[in-house]
Amino acid sequence: MPVNRVREHRHRSVLPFRAVPAEVRLLRQATAAQLGRWGMPHAVEETGLVVTELATNVIKHVGEGTAATLVLEWAGERLRVEVHDKSHSVPSLSAADRDDECGRGLHLLAAVTVGWGTVLTSIGKSVWCEVALGPERTCRRLVRATAALENYRALSGMAQEGRLRDAALKASAVELIADLLHWTAACGLDPEDVLDRAQMHYEAEGGLAA
């Protein structure tokens, strides 16, 4: 994917690509470089995940080698990510397909973005996602964290309400972080490095003050 094929106009970047596995890594690199130029390195990891899922879905469900286009558009406190292809087949999100490979990818997109959908065009379709960049991003992180802690509390057999619930959630937060550090170590990662990266993300987003 030649880098010089990227076209920019204000806060819009268009990157044509072929739907092959080798191009996915290049798309992530091009996306990270573009976000760096726009001054939003804090959105690289989340956006890279979205780009990977959308491009991979083209490979798996439209056809390897298909001509496609990635569009990044920054507007206010949201970044819109679109992948255009020549298929009119519309992806669907349902509880029934949560366990198959395609379903997991779509549920992941729904979890990490503030919205997603499909637009049919004259030559195919566009699948789009929007990533939060400002206060909405922080709010969404809090919602996800609360949901994770509630699930963790349920797995631990704790069902307190009111002040006891708040205390249980705080205790669960410590235990959940400890479990995640054990998980990172078991996967061969450096727990301290993971903590440092998480702290960097937190500080880049301005903490809770954002």
Side-chain angles (χ1 to χ4, degrees):
M1 182 184 66
V3 176
N4 59 10
R5 295 181 65 189
V6 179
R7 303 193 305 276
E8 295 182 32
H9 178 65
R10 296 182 64 182
H11 298 315
R12 182 179 174 88
S13 177
V14 181
L15 299 90
F17 69 96
R18 281 194 315 119
V20 295
E23 289 280 274
V24 176
R25 177 177 59 84
L26 297 178
L27 280 178
R28 288 180 66 105
Q29 291 175 349
T31 297
Q34 180 61 73
L35 294 183
R37 287 191 290 271
W38 283 345
M40 52 180 73
H42 56 280
V44 166
E45 187 169 342
E46 194 168 357
T47 306
L49 176 61
V50 171
V51 168
T52 297
E53 288 297 329
L54 292 180
T56 300
N57 278 343
V58 177
I59 297 172
K60 293 179 179 177
H61 304 291
V62 180
E64 187 166 340
T66 299
T69 303
L70 169 67
V71 178
L72 304 173
E73 188 167 20
W74 173 24
E77 294 179 346
R78 289 192 180 188
L79 175 70
R80 187 179 178 93
V81 182
E82 302 176 1
V83 167
H84 298 250
D85 60 57
K86 296 181 179 180
S87 169
H88 285 93
S89 178
V90 177
S92 62
L93 181 66
S94 66
D97 63 12
R98 183 185 293 269
D99 293 329
D100 67 43
E101 196 165 359
C102 176
R104 287 197 299 271
L106 293 177
H107 279 279
L108 178 62
L109 290 179
V112 303
T113 64
V114 292
W116 78 279
T118 304
V119 177
L120 293 177
T121 66
S122 59
I123 62 172
K125 70 174 180 298
S126 165
V127 181
W128 60 269
C129 295
E130 289 189 343
V131 177
L133 301 173
E136 186 175 14
R137 177 185 177 91
T138 300
C139 179
R140 188 166 180 80
R141 284 194 181 278
L142 293 175
V143 170
R144 290 204 305 260
T146 300
L149 288 172
E150 290 283 9
N151 290 333
Y152 187 86
R153 190 171 62 98
L155 289 173
S156 301
M158 296 181 290
Q160 295 91 341
E161 299 298 333
R163 291 183 179 178
L164 290 177
R165 171 184 175 275
D166 292 340
L169 287 178
K170 291 177 182 178
S172 294
V174 175
E175 292 299 321
L176 177 56
I177 292 171
D179 283 353
L180 289 173
L181 292 177
H182 280 289
W183 179 85
T184 58
C187 291
L189 303 174
D190 182 353
E192 290 188 5
D193 178 60
V194 172
L195 281 176
D196 288 343
R197 291 176 60 188
Q199 183 71 20
M200 289 173 60
H201 279 231
Y202 176 78
E203 292 174 352
E205 294 167 12
L208 292 178

